[in-house]
Amino acid sequence: MKEILDQFLQLLQQAIAAIFRFIGLVWAWSLDQINKMAQVPLENWPLWKQILLALVAAAVSYALFVAAWRLWVASIRAFAAFASFAAALIVALPPILIAGVIALAGLWVINNVSSLPLLTGPERSNSSAANDTGKQQPAESSASETTGGRQ
């Protein structure tokens, strides 16, 4: 079972690493294209090419704004999720503490109480021993009688 879990976690780690490598490649390629666009010589271009370049720059700016906005919203959600997780950990502390105290108390009772009257079996009462006095003497009294130590 541990091997399956380890392999699953390794596969998950590799998948996440591949996703981040792909994102890095897209970012690098996009930034390279934007840099190339910014280095274009505008002076000797006709007016229609300059207008088209301005439209492309506006579209690129809008796409970057959308990406930045989505990253901003995602970071807020991630922070809220982390805060919610931290709050859940804090709220879970009292029941966990109570469970630990119950376990400690239970082990203390198990280790320090030798016998509980409610948990032992029924014992013979002394009234049945008093009814049997005529039949047989207890071992201690017969031994003291034979030695003459009766007083």
Side-chain angles (χ1 to χ4, degrees), residues 11-65:
L11 178 67
L12 187 63
Q13 181 183 14
Q14 290 173 352
I16 291 171
I19 289 170
F20 279 110
R21 277 194 305 269
F22 178 73
I23 290 171
L25 286 172
V26 169
W27 274 82
W29 179 82
S30 294
L31 289 176
D32 186 42
Q33 298 307 313
I34 292 169
N35 283 335
K36 285 180 182 179
M37 186 187 76
Q39 294 174 356
V40 172
L42 299 174
E43 301 85 33
N44 46 359
W45 276 11
L47 183 61
W48 69 272
K49 283 187 176 182
Q50 291 178 4
I51 293 172
L52 186 60
L53 183 63
L55 290 175
V56 169
V60 167
S61 297
Y62 176 74
L64 290 176
F65 173 76

Side-chain angles (χ1 to χ4, degrees), residues 1 5 11 25 28 35 37 47 76 84 87 98 100 124 128 136:
M1 182 67 180
L5 184 62
L11 178 67
L25 286 172
N35 283 335
M37 186 187 76
L47 183 61
I76 290 172
S84 176
I98 290 170
R124 283 183 55 169
S128 64
Q136 189 176 6

Side-chain angles (χ1 to χ4, degrees), residues 99-148:
V101 169
I102 290 171
L104 176 68
L107 286 175
W108 184 85
V109 168
I110 289 170
N111 289 328
N112 293 320
V113 176
S114 59
S115 66
L116 295 174
L118 299 176
L119 297 178
T120 59
E123 296 181 15
R124 283 183 55 169
S125 64
N126 290 337
S127 62
S128 64
N131 292 338
D132 295 337
T133 55
K135 296 179 183 174
Q136 189 176 6
Q137 297 277 337
E140 294 108 25
S141 62
S142 63
S144 62
E145 288 179 13
T146 56
T147 57

